[in-house]
Amino acid sequence: MSEPSITAPSSVHPSAKVFKVAAVLEALSWLGLLIGMFFKWVLDTTEKGVQIMGPIHGTLFMFYVISTLWAAAAHKWTGKQTVLGLVSSIPPLMTLWFEKHAERAGILSRSARPTR
């Protein structure tokens, strides 16, 4: 009989996980909104895409901003890193770039403040 494997608890702070999810969801919602705007303004066919994706994108934008502030506080980002993370929410799909940048720079794996 084999022994059950015991896995060590994840050393990744919850703020890093939430930030990564928020970055991807915000980018996908931007893409959906851009597609909706294409149908509305270029093809001049329907506003449904914008009506549906607009509020979704707005909600996910706020989720990204909040998760960025949480990650910045938890991982002790510099002011420049925090501002770059927040500003990356404005250009379409830039949150994906910043999430990869943050991972490569190691600012998501710095010792985070303990959770309560």
Side-chain angles (χ1 to χ4, degrees):
M1 203 155 104
S2 66
E3 303 228 357
S5 69
I6 299 173
T7 57
S10 174
S11 62
V12 178
H13 191 267
S15 65
K17 292 178 183 180
V18 170
F19 172 77
K20 290 177 180 191
V21 169
V24 171
L25 291 177
E26 198 276 344
L28 291 174
S29 72
W30 240 130
L31 185 61
L33 185 57
L34 289 171
I35 291 168
M37 289 190 302
F38 177 80
F39 278 94
K40 178 179 179 179
W41 298 109
V42 177
L43 298 181
D44 198 25
T45 56
T46 182
E47 293 185 23
K48 278 292 183 201
V50 174
Q51 291 171 345
I52 293 169
M53 289 309 300
I56 292 171
H57 174 67
T59 301
L60 291 172
F61 171 84
M62 293 306 299
F63 175 52
Y64 175 80
V65 167
I66 292 166
S67 71
T68 299
L69 293 173
W70 182 28
H75 296 279
K76 304 171 189 104
W77 292 0
T78 65
K80 182 180 176 182
Q81 291 166 331
T82 303
V83 168
L84 184 58
L86 292 171
V87 169
S88 72
S89 66
I90 298 168
L93 309 178
M94 190 74 165
T95 57
L96 294 176
W97 172 85
F98 183 75
E99 186 272 325
K100 293 298 178 202
H101 166 76
E103 189 67 44
R104 283 192 304 269
I107 64 174
L108 289 176
S109 58
R110 264 191 234 160
S111 64
R113 296 182 180 129
T115 57
R116 294 180 190 189

